[in-house]
Amino acid sequence: MNATALTSRRVVTTVRGQPASDGAGVKLNRLIGQPALDMLDPFLMLDEFRSDQASDYLAGFPDHPHRGFETVTYMLAGNMRHGDNQGNTGMLRAGSVQWMTAGRGIVHSEMPEQEDGLMWGFQLWVNLPAADKMTAPRYQDIAPEQVPQLQPADGVELRLLTGRVGEVYGPVTNVATAPIYVDVRLQPGAQWTSQLPQRHNGFVYVYDGEAIVGDGDSSRTLPRGELGVLSHGETLRLAAGTTATRLILVAGKPLNEPVAKYGPFVMNTPEQIVTAIRDFQSGRFV
Ligand code: FE2
């Protein structure tokens, strides 16, 4: 019997975050959307916010617009209250995910619902294809208990936000770029080989411990705070060394379309950006 070898992914480049400030002065660690990694199609931005100093996050993100892409907020610790100009509200708690398709436009706020303690999580920006940029806004607000927890191997625990692992699907569905977003926890010495669509662009970001990413001689060890951009391939081996390790694994179908970005607007042409600014300023984001 012939076995066809699957191509395994490896780390092609690594980046560290850059300190950034956004909203009304929230301190962030910007991993994608900075000089070392401008974007990783379809991912436009990845911020980690992590602080137990209230002054770093209390100002929050008061009313601001988005058009042309999706914002994905995944909370590890703390509480964030969400509200928009359509009257939609929600509370993001530790372990919850909000996948917001801004489409043709929303104006919203994201404010801490706590005055002290640890606030920790990620915001990922995912681009929309040209055909969907002006779609109606949509929210997928997923409570922590709705996120499947899987144990695919000894010492490996996954929380599957979107995409498929084995026969299990994450609760966020119908996203144009068919993404996979998995929160991975590895006990010391544990390992797991994930299956991924071969042509998806992907990355891992280690947010605790130290991960060994890739197979054999081509593996790289990534410490906390390092993001590894992955080569294409069908499998990815992840392992922990001597410390417990936590990371996110994210992959999505590249759009290969022109990108015109200006702050919270991400379109295909400069003309569409001008229209977005004009529509926002004249109150047409409703
Ligand atoms: Fe926002």
Side-chain angles (χ1 to χ4, degrees), residues 122-149:
F122 300 101
Q123 188 167 91
L124 177 72
W125 287 13
V126 184
N127 207 358
L128 283 169
D132 292 346
K133 282 192 178 288
M134 296 299 277
T135 192
R138 180 177 70 144
Y139 291 95
Q140 297 189 65
D141 274 315
I142 310 295
E145 55 275 14
Q146 294 173 269
V147 177
Q149 305 211 34

Side-chain angles (χ1 to χ4, degrees), residues 33-266:
Q34 49 122 338
L37 184 59
D38 178 47
M39 67 175 282
L40 180 66
D41 186 12
F43 306 113
L44 301 157
M45 196 190 82
L46 175 67
D47 283 340
E48 178 186 24
F49 45 90
R50 181 199 195 200
S51 180
D52 55 9
Q53 301 294 311
S55 58
D56 287 347
Y57 59 73
L58 266 188
F61 303 87
D63 281 349
H64 60 278
H66 294 287
R67 172 180 280 183
F69 61 102
E70 308 184 274
T71 69
V72 181
T73 308
Y74 178 46
M75 299 294 291
L76 296 174
N79 297 300
M80 188 94 84
R81 180 173 292 281
H82 173 266
D84 77 4
N85 60 339
Q86 315 270 316
N88 297 302
T89 59
M91 177 72 84
L92 286 89
R93 298 174 280 137
S96 66
V97 59
Q98 182 194 61
W99 198 290
M100 185 190 80
T101 306
R104 63 178 175 248
I106 58 109
V107 178
H108 76 160
S109 63
E110 300 155 285
M111 300 299 289
E113 187 76 4
Q114 64 191 52
E115 289 177 356
D116 52 32
L118 179 64
M119 172 79 77
W120 192 6
F122 300 101
Q123 188 167 91
L124 177 72
W125 287 13
V126 184
N127 207 358
L128 283 169
D132 292 346
K133 282 192 178 288
M134 296 299 277
T135 192
R138 180 177 70 144
Y139 291 95
Q140 297 189 65
D141 274 315
I142 310 295
E145 55 275 14
Q146 294 173 269
V147 177
Q149 305 211 34
L150 311 175
Q151 290 181 301
D154 282 351
V156 181
E157 276 179 46
L158 312 178
R159 301 186 81 243
L160 178 59
L161 307 182
T162 190
R164 183 169 75 91
V165 171
E167 299 309 312
V168 180
Y169 289 81
V172 175
T173 56
N174 293 315
V175 179
T177 47
I180 289 151
Y181 193 148
V182 195
D183 182 3
V184 181
R185 186 188 291 257
L186 301 163
Q187 294 306 318
Q191 59 168 302
W192 173 55
T193 298
S194 70
Q195 311 282 319
L196 293 166
Q198 198 216 344
R199 305 295 299 173
H200 271 30
N201 285 340
F203 66 87
V204 297
Y205 174 65
V206 180
Y207 65 87
D208 202 11
E210 188 176 78
I212 302 155
V213 182
D215 271 325
D217 288 348
S218 63
S219 68
R220 290 269 292 266
T221 299
L222 304 188
R224 163 173 162 75
E226 214 153 88
L227 180 147
V229 176
L230 302 171
S231 64
H232 286 162
E234 294 148 306
T235 65
L236 175 69
R237 180 177 176 270
L238 296 168
T242 55
T243 55
T245 295
R246 298 170 74 189
L247 59 90
I248 52 173
L249 164 63
V250 182
K253 188 166 111 188
L255 296 173
N256 296 309
E257 292 177 345
V259 174
K261 275 193 290 190
Y262 182 76
F265 310 121
V266 184

